[in-house]
Amino acid sequence: MEGRLARIFIRLGSVITLAFLYVPLFVVAIYAFSKSRSGSWPPQLFTLHWFSVAWQDPTLRGAIGTSIVAAVCATSIALVLGTLASFAVHKFRFFGRDTVSFILVLPIALPGIVTALALSSAVQQASGSTGLTFGLVAIILGHATFCVVVVFNNVVARLRRTPGSWVEASMDLGGDGPMTFRRVTLPNLRTALIAAALLAFGLSFDEIVVTKYLAGSTLTLPLWIYNNISKPFQRPIVNVVSLVVLLVSLIPVYIAQRLTGSAQGLAAESTERAIDEAGPG
Amino acid sequence: MRRFVGVIAVIAALSLVGAACSKSSSTSTGTGAAQPLKYDPNAALEDNLNLVIWPLYAEKDVVKPFEAAMGGKCIVKTKDANTSDEMVNFMKQPGVWDGVSASGDATLRLIASNLVSPVDVTSFKGYSNVMPSLQAPAHNTVDGVHYGVPYEWGPNILMYNTSVVKPAPTSWDITFEPQINGAANPYAGKITGYDSAIYIADAAMYLKTHNPDLGITDPYELTSDQLDAAVNLLKGQKPLISKYWNVWSDEVDAFESGDMVAGTAWPANQNVLESDAKVQVASVTPTEGVTGWADTWMMSSSAPDPNCMLAWMNYTLTDQVQADTAYTFGATPSVTTACDTLKRKLIAGYGAAVGAAAYPLYHCADDSYLAKIYLWKTPVSNCGDSRGNTCTDYTTWQQDWTDVKGS
Amino acid sequence: MAASTATVPPPKRSLGLRSSAFLFRHPRVRLTFTLGPTLAWMIVIYLFSLAVLLVSSLWSVNPLTSQIEHVWTLSNYQTILHNAVYRTITIRTVMLAVAVTITDLLLAFPLSYYAARMASDRVRNALLFAVVMPLWANYLVKVFAWKTMVAGNGPVDAFFGLFGWHPDIATSLIAVWITLSYLWLPYVILPIFAAFERVPSSYLEASGDLGARSGRTFRKIVLPLVFPGLIAASIFSFSLTLGDYITVELISKSILLGNTIDAYAGGTANDQPLAAALATIPIAIMAVYLLIARALGAFEAL
């Protein structure tokens, strides 16, 4: 259907784009094995020394732990709030229904610096009366706020594809609310929830723009990287950490792809992530 | 459209609530409301100590002995700040940080905002050995009340790549002037400056010598005309600039990659470049003078670990710590008895000849040299002399700095 | 089967049954339970913060302590309007956003088309996986990789040095443009890929049957169909570039909206009300952009 010339151009363009996407990742990978401390080119290979140094760095392990805790908490909150809201929006036509979707999207639709500024001045104002201060709790609150829409979008999309007759049938057969939820609704939502949870987790784990404003003295992994990327002696460790995180995150992406079962599904889920990243990215 | 309007309505309503209920920040410039805190060696120590510091100010060789001496308590967690503004911003976060190594352009702001606590300096063992001019300096002592203990001081030097910049410079002109001796500046595009509004003072200091008609006496006390002249100098400098730095490693990286060859630097940057030995650098104190900093450890008024902070303040007044940080950073100790320790460290580190030659460059215990440095301080509208309230304040400086960088 | 003559007792009114019946009969209560928590969260935590931020743009700052003072003033907005540098900064940022968007659209186009229409199923899945993977690399690390690559004596310099050209882009806006294009590229590829997938093959066959060659088909059929997808993709790269401050700060000395706001709010300067006032600029720009995008049909393509 496409002309010969067009096909050649398209293939060539695709190769260029893919190369563009992966060359910097190779650079990161190479530097993880570089002997020299400074980041100048070319790197002197080859050593595994920095992997052991990274493993022994006490602040690094704490930062990874904090990131995991924050991501788990934020994802859990987002799962609950997002699912509840999606049920409300799906079933009811109430005044301001569109407004609700809009409000949920705002934290990620607005540029990240705006969200960061808003949340951090809120913490500053609230610190006097509520004792809330910059730290892990503030981070979790901030992350949950923009993770909610990830869950919301995924669940609403799944609910739209679910025939409402199933719930009615279940009720006709004598199931009450909780039983219908457990036996009919939840299994249907399960893969959407897992995919959403993975996306929300990844979003929270990699977040730096808003976290930088909320963290106080707490270190998450991106903040650890930010602090250490400007310390020349620590840079090789940062490269090691990035390589490991990249390799480890192959797993959830692969799982997400299998769960959604198709390329289209993965594209849809990743478009969700893209929408979410459009804010605090 | 309807949902847009709906959200606007909600936000407007909340704005009214927010305006009404917002906590009024302390606008008082009152000081001395709190009693000066005394250091008590027997006080119960907390588990942690969170410090905001200049980079390299609390390295492992300084922190580990402290933690050991505290019996495993007061585990130190540090955060590097790149400018004094960042330091002030961090200290505004309540209950997060215990202390800060503030320079003179942050100290009075912190004191006026009631963000730091007064301390009783007589309770620290090493305080009597502090240099006379740093015992009660205007930048950390207000109405006889002390707000911290001095740490290190030093100049912002002119650092240059010796293989590229020849002959060795003696003036700041290679960093400011697009034309030198009638010819174009040979280092255009590879100069650097410090990325903060306080850098305007460097330009003012340059004009003090090269444009005496302006009548600049103190580079931090500038009338509108003097400020405009300094800003114009900086705008003329912009084509020469590769990148302004405030993250210290940016300057180190850029010198090593050849993107920068000359500019204002901290002694620490020179130390690191020399130890990496990828490029050859040297530094000079030019004829126009230097700006610089004298840093004070201050304790936050909402410090979660006050006893640890007081212990830390006591610890940093000891000779070994003062000399260790001086050696690492290239700064000068504030404690006179640390000079011998520093000299021995330099000889041990660089060898007898080089170490002995390096030691006088620190001007240890030299009050008259310290007096010649234009130490960072916050520009305020009160000129402090016969000009009255006609000087420009820091808010104006910041907007002018944005103007310089952004145009 | 014998007909049962015994009466079947009514089902037990368990708590679950009673509560779900109650909720069924009182939809408003159900609405409150499901919508309430989330809405309350968003209002208290987010909308309230946004409101406080906007209000604070009308306050002033103490010149010495740089603390916010509740003194109402329009001076922040006056500063922005009167001082030409903020116009320069805004224009520079918008132009960068446009440049990044166009670059990403051009880079995304061939790959999306190939994956959507020319690749086998296995290759398509692999390509999508390959596109999504870089998103999981840490943002800062990707920025720093580019910083290293464009530095003097770096690989980019060495590459162009083969042709005898030393571009010296290390701290320039060009380096920022390249890095931002790199960072947002996967976000741009995915919606365009989805848009290409949605083009029904029958249209293309019909066009071919009616005598149009591939170029004409592309211009008249494919392009208009994927256009909403292109706009949708552009929203990401435009919005992300508009607010980015970390990449700009790490790589170059350029002053853009994001890092100006960051400097005044959290970093190297200290004037939170002015930062809040400046923050209204990207909000306004994005509002306009989103309205235009919606008019062009982009929201259906998300």
Side-chain angles (χ1 to χ4, degrees), chain C residues 107-121:
Chain C
L107 281 173
F109 216 79
L111 187 58
S112 312
Y113 189 91
Y114 182 80
R117 308 211 67 89
M118 282 167 59
S120 68
D121 259 353

Side-chain angles (χ1 to χ4, degrees), chain A residues 41-61:
Chain A
W41 181 267
Q44 300 151 335
L45 305 174
F46 177 91
T47 175
L48 292 174
H49 169 62
W50 302 114
F51 283 84
S52 70
V53 173
W55 181 246
Q56 287 159 17
D57 191 313
T59 53
L60 173 60
R61 282 198 290 235

Side-chain angles (χ1 to χ4, degrees), chain A residues 162 166-167 169-170 178-189:
Chain A
T162 306
W166 292 3
V167 172
S170 163
M179 179 188 272
T180 307
F181 185 73
R182 227 174 49 235
R183 296 276 193 88
V184 177
T185 320
L186 208 50
N188 186 42
L189 290 178

Side-chain angles (χ1 to χ4, degrees), chain B residues 133-152:
Chain B
S133 55
L134 288 176
Q135 292 245 349
H139 62 249
N140 66 25
T141 309
V142 178
D143 292 335
V145 181
H146 297 261
Y147 283 89
V149 295
Y151 193 36
E152 307 273 337

Side-chain angles (χ1 to χ4, degrees), chain A residues 202-250:
Chain A
L203 199 60
S204 163
F205 201 73
D206 191 37
E207 222 288 320
I208 176 76
V209 172
V210 174
T211 317
K212 190 160 168 279
Y213 272 77
L214 294 179
S217 63
T218 311
L219 276 185
T220 60
L221 185 60
L223 280 174
W224 183 92
I225 294 181
Y226 186 76
N227 286 345
N228 284 283
I229 224 164
S230 56
K231 294 182 183 161
F233 318 134
Q234 292 282 80
R235 224 171 275 149
I237 307 183
V238 174
N239 288 322
V240 165
V241 169
S242 353
L243 180 61
V244 170
V245 170
L246 181 65
L247 292 176
V248 165
S249 49
L250 282 171

Side-chain angles (χ1 to χ4, degrees), chain B residues 265-326:
Chain B
W266 291 336
N269 305 3
Q270 185 187 355
N271 278 0
V272 172
L273 281 168
E274 283 172 349
S275 78
D276 267 359
K278 281 204 150 79
V279 291
Q280 303 304 313
V281 293
S283 65
V284 67
T285 307
T287 52
E288 296 91 351
V290 285
T291 55
W293 26 268
D295 298 331
T296 309
W297 283 113
M298 301 183 120
M299 179 161 82
S300 162
S301 49
S302 62
D305 313 291
N307 293 331
C308 280
M309 186 60 204
L310 288 166
W312 174 260
M313 285 174 154
N314 188 56
Y315 174 71
T316 56
L317 286 170
T318 56
D319 295 347
Q320 189 60 49
V321 173
Q322 292 265 332
D324 283 342
T325 303

Side-chain angles (χ1 to χ4, degrees), chain C:
Chain C
M1 182 184 84
S4 166
T5 51
T7 50
V8 179
K12 271 224 171 82
R13 301 284 289 171
S14 66
L15 183 61
L17 208 57
R18 270 191 301 201
S19 57
S20 41
F22 176 80
L23 288 175
F24 189 77
R25 279 198 290 272
H26 297 90
R28 287 237 163 74
V29 178
R30 224 159 68 202
L31 182 62
T32 315
F33 269 139
T34 47
L35 191 59
T38 312
L39 205 56
W41 176 284
M42 291 305 292
I43 289 183
V44 170
I45 292 187
Y46 190 66
L47 288 187
F48 189 69
S49 320
L50 212 49
V52 170
L53 179 70
L54 296 175
V55 165
S56 70
S57 70
L58 297 169
W59 286 334
S60 47
V61 79
N62 182 303
L64 172 63
T65 67
S66 61
Q67 298 270 41
I68 304 177
E69 290 177 339
H70 293 211
V71 176
W72 297 99
T73 173
L74 285 174
S75 67
N76 295 314
Y77 288 101
Q78 283 170 338
T79 308
I80 299 179
L81 288 173
H82 289 165
N83 206 325
V85 69
Y86 298 107
R87 266 196 294 282
T88 314
I89 295 175
T90 305
I91 294 177
R92 184 185 296 135
T93 313
V94 169
M95 303 219 55
L96 178 68
V98 168
V100 168
T101 301
I102 293 181
T103 310
D104 275 346
L105 288 177
L106 288 175
L107 281 173
F109 216 79
L111 187 58
S112 312
Y113 189 91
Y114 182 80
R117 308 211 67 89
M118 282 167 59
S120 68
D121 259 353
R122 270 229 327 250
V123 173
R124 177 180 311 142
N125 281 340
L127 279 179
L128 280 176
F129 188 75
V131 166
V132 168
M133 263 323 295
L135 293 180
W136 288 81
N138 184 276
Y139 167 97
L140 288 168
V141 169
K142 289 187 283 195
V143 172
F144 226 78
W146 272 106
K147 186 175 177 189
T148 314
M149 299 214 307
V150 299
N153 305 330
V156 167
D157 200 53
F159 176 71
F160 284 116
L162 293 175
F163 308 110
W165 178 39
H166 286 279
D168 197 19
I169 56 173
T171 56
S172 65
L173 208 51
I174 296 186
V176 176
W177 162 59
I178 296 178
T179 310
L180 289 178
S181 304
Y182 174 79
L183 288 171
W184 317 140
L185 186 54
Y187 299 137
V188 171
I189 292 180
L190 294 172
I192 300 184
F193 164 83
F196 272 128
E197 265 204 321
R198 281 199 289 267
V199 174
S201 303
S202 53
Y203 282 32
L204 303 177
E205 286 173 22
S207 169
D209 289 343
L210 289 168
R213 280 209 303 266
S214 62
R216 196 124 180 263
T217 309
F218 184 77
R219 268 196 338 268
K220 298 274 186 172
I221 309 287
V222 177
L223 213 45
L225 280 176
V226 301
F227 187 68
L230 293 181
I231 304 293
S234 75
I235 295 179
F236 302 134
S237 59
F238 196 84
S239 161
L240 288 167
T241 306
L242 210 57
D244 189 86
Y245 66 94
I246 294 191
T247 303
V248 183
E249 274 173 6
L250 285 179
I251 292 201
S252 83
K253 70 172 161 118
S254 325
I255 303 306
L256 301 174
L257 267 182
N259 56 339
T260 308
I261 298 176
D262 176 59
Y264 278 120
T268 52
N270 232 310
D271 193 343
Q272 208 267 9
L274 185 57
L278 283 171
T280 56
I281 299 181
I283 296 179
I285 296 180
M286 272 325 292
V288 170
Y289 197 96
L290 285 173
L291 283 175
I292 297 179
R294 191 167 75 143
L296 291 172
F299 281 17
E300 282 80 45
L302 277 177

